Amino acid sequence: MIMLHPLTDFINSNSIITDAPPNYYYQGYCPETGEILKLPRTPLAEAIANSLMEQLTQNHLYSQEGKMYGILLIELPNGEQRVIKAFSGLLDGKSILSGWVTPIPGREEVTDLENQTLAELEVIKQHIINLQQLPARQEYQTLLTQYTPLLEAISLKHHHSKLKRQEQRQEFYQTLTGASLETALAKLEAESRQEGRESRDIKRRQKEILQPLQEIIATADRKIIELKQQRKQLSRKLQTQMHAAYSLTNFYGKSQSLQQLFPDGTPTGTGECCAPKLLHYAATHGLKPLAMAEFWWGNSTVENKVQGEFYGACEERCQPLMGFLLSGLKPNKPEIIYEDEWLIAVNKLSGLLSVPGRYSHNQDSVISRLRYFYNQELIAVHRLDQETSGILLIAKNAITYSQLSQQFAQRQVHKVYEAVLGGCLTIEEGNINLPLWGNPDDRPYQQVDMERGKPSLTHFRVMAREGNYTRVEFVPLTGRTHQLRVHAADSRGLGMTILGDKLYGCCADTNRLYLHARELRFQHPHVEKILHLQVKTPF
């Protein structure tokens, strides 16, 4: 049974997958360390999933049955990349199909109990249906329907009679006196008592006929409540035993049952979704996950599920498992373009932080990933925006950090960026000299401010014009936050936002910021040589 599929089964050699940030992260906190663990859904993973959708379309058996499907891009120990795929629950009534990952182990241990329980639940279901369809219910409704208009007609008749008697009383008081008045009023009272007896007689007859039926229905309703409680207890017992049998394994090689992971219980179906199946299979077969994608396909009877749409981990069944399942998974090591005993230079991906946040030491970033692989303290010498890709310099000790930081502060480091502007720039090159100020009440937004702003100088040169876009080379002579982004977007600068820069006004539907730190040139702090680092622009 083949589980591993080569990339060529899903992506042909002519496919172009851009170096774009992930669109979603499967994530959770490691139960042992508290560290947040992430697995991305990347453009490549989505492209693989789209190819699987095409295969499902061609196979009519699969396309008829609405459910979640998923793919996991994995790396073999030899570095080769492959794909594994899974479906949620059963497919065509089967849990095991060639080419798909096998279910999480444990279900087979409770198969007999499950079949027995399901049979008992079916008997209870039929009993409830029979009680809900008792002939007495229909007979009661029929009789009630017959008596209701009769009682309404009598009530209306008596109401009119009462009004008429009230008018007669008023007339008698005005025209009669003495014994004649008493006789007339007594006659009206007798008519009123007679109508009351008539109403009571009809209601008594109705009760005599309907009460036995009501008692039968009430007894049936009490039995339905008992049966539903019994059904609930049987389902809960089966779920508890299934959760005790289901065993999940993470990338530390540690296995736990669903019952151990969640003593208070989890919803029915936990462990049968795509994500747990894929991650468990990878962990038990020595495969390193790189990216994952899940989508809905087929007829949908589930609210808010659309065929072909990507979805993240479901909140009730999968999300609570993510922290455990991802535990032990090594982060992807940043691409190192230069390293010696004093410093490291990496090619940072767009969408990845340079350093963890101030109050989140374990936040995913270049530094937190490198610290996983290096048994020493590492310090980022400078920063790149999360959306900006390119060269980032890391010091291995405080002395190196201090010396390199001094070069940055004294503007001795030559930096070159490449960007694509959302417009056609008519001038070829020039300088932008606009002071920048960060409003503390509107962070991280920066703005041009002639009074409060810090001096900010950028040199630019047009590299190429591509339709309505302009490829530009930027050389920042100062290093202010968002300097290139503001100098490009402000009307006193280039007046054209960098493509993908939604913070400063770009409306284009892009999956990244088209800004890349392409070159870095500086004096090595410990060796008498100039380092000139360069990386290819990914767009």
Side-chain angles (χ1 to χ4, degrees), residues 114-152:
E114 182 182 14
N115 292 336
Q116 177 185 342
T117 303
L118 291 176
E120 293 177 14
L121 291 173
E122 182 61 29
V123 171
I124 292 174
K125 175 184 175 182
Q126 290 302 319
H127 197 172
I128 291 174
I129 291 174
N130 293 337
L131 290 172
Q132 290 172 335
Q133 297 176 351
L134 277 177
R137 296 183 188 275
Q138 183 59 46
E139 185 179 354
Y140 176 84
Q141 289 298 326
T142 300
L143 291 172
L144 187 63
T145 301
Q146 292 173 357
Y147 271 100
T148 298
L150 177 60
L151 288 170
E152 290 176 350

Side-chain angles (χ1 to χ4, degrees), residues 15-39:
S15 298
I16 299 175
I17 308 299
T18 61
D19 176 23
N23 294 318
Y24 172 81
Y25 280 101
Y26 294 87
Q27 60 185 23
Y29 289 94
C30 176
E32 297 181 5
T33 66
E35 177 185 4
I36 188 168
L37 307 170
K38 291 186 176 184
L39 181 65

Side-chain angles (χ1 to χ4, degrees), residues 311-346:
Y311 293 93
C314 57
E315 292 185 6
E316 293 184 347
R317 296 180 179 85
C318 295
Q319 186 55 52
L321 298 172
M322 285 298 109
F324 174 80
L325 286 170
L326 293 173
S327 293
L329 178 62
K330 296 180 180 179
N332 293 327
K333 189 175 182 180
E335 179 190 356
I336 295 175
I337 61 172
Y338 177 86
E339 182 178 7
D340 58 30
E341 59 183 295
W342 300 285
L343 58 90
I344 305 170
V346 304

Side-chain angles (χ1 to χ4, degrees), residues 152-304:
E152 290 176 350
I154 292 175
S155 177
L156 183 62
K157 173 188 173 184
H158 289 176
H159 176 70
H160 289 310
S161 297
K162 182 178 180 181
L163 294 176
K164 184 177 180 181
R165 285 193 297 271
Q166 288 175 348
E167 292 176 358
Q168 289 176 332
R169 283 191 186 93
Q170 293 296 326
E171 182 181 349
F172 290 159
Y173 281 123
Q174 294 174 1
T175 60
L176 300 176
T177 60
S180 298
L181 176 59
E182 291 180 3
T183 301
L185 291 176
K187 183 179 179 182
L188 293 178
E189 291 297 329
E191 290 178 2
S192 177
R193 287 193 296 272
Q194 176 61 29
E195 289 182 350
R197 284 193 295 271
E198 184 181 3
S199 293
R200 288 192 294 273
D201 288 344
I202 293 176
K203 290 180 180 177
R204 184 177 64 254
R205 290 198 300 272
Q206 180 194 39
K207 183 178 180 181
E208 289 173 353
I209 294 175
L210 294 183
Q211 188 170 4
L213 296 174
Q214 287 177 317
E215 292 175 355
I216 293 173
I217 293 169
T219 300
D221 288 343
R222 287 193 295 270
K223 185 62 178 177
I224 288 174
I225 293 173
E226 293 175 5
L227 289 170
K228 286 184 175 180
Q229 184 63 28
Q230 183 181 349
R231 181 177 64 184
K232 184 177 180 180
Q233 291 173 351
L234 278 172
S235 298
R236 186 175 297 171
K237 180 181 178 182
L238 174 61
Q239 180 178 318
T240 299
Q241 291 175 300
M242 291 179 72
H243 287 174
Y246 270 55
S247 179
L248 294 168
T249 301
N250 63 21
F251 294 92
Y252 281 130
K254 184 177 181 179
S255 298
Q256 283 192 319
S257 68
L258 287 176
Q259 189 178 59
Q260 290 174 312
L261 287 168
F262 305 103
D264 296 332
T266 55
T268 302
T270 301
E272 296 187 11
C273 297
C274 300
K277 281 185 177 182
L278 291 166
L279 293 174
H280 171 85
Y281 187 89
T284 54
H285 289 77
L287 310 174
K288 180 183 177 182
L290 302 177
M292 184 162 61
E294 294 178 287
F295 62 91
W296 180 269
W297 195 258
N299 298 326
S300 177
T301 58
V302 182
E303 186 179 359
N304 296 329

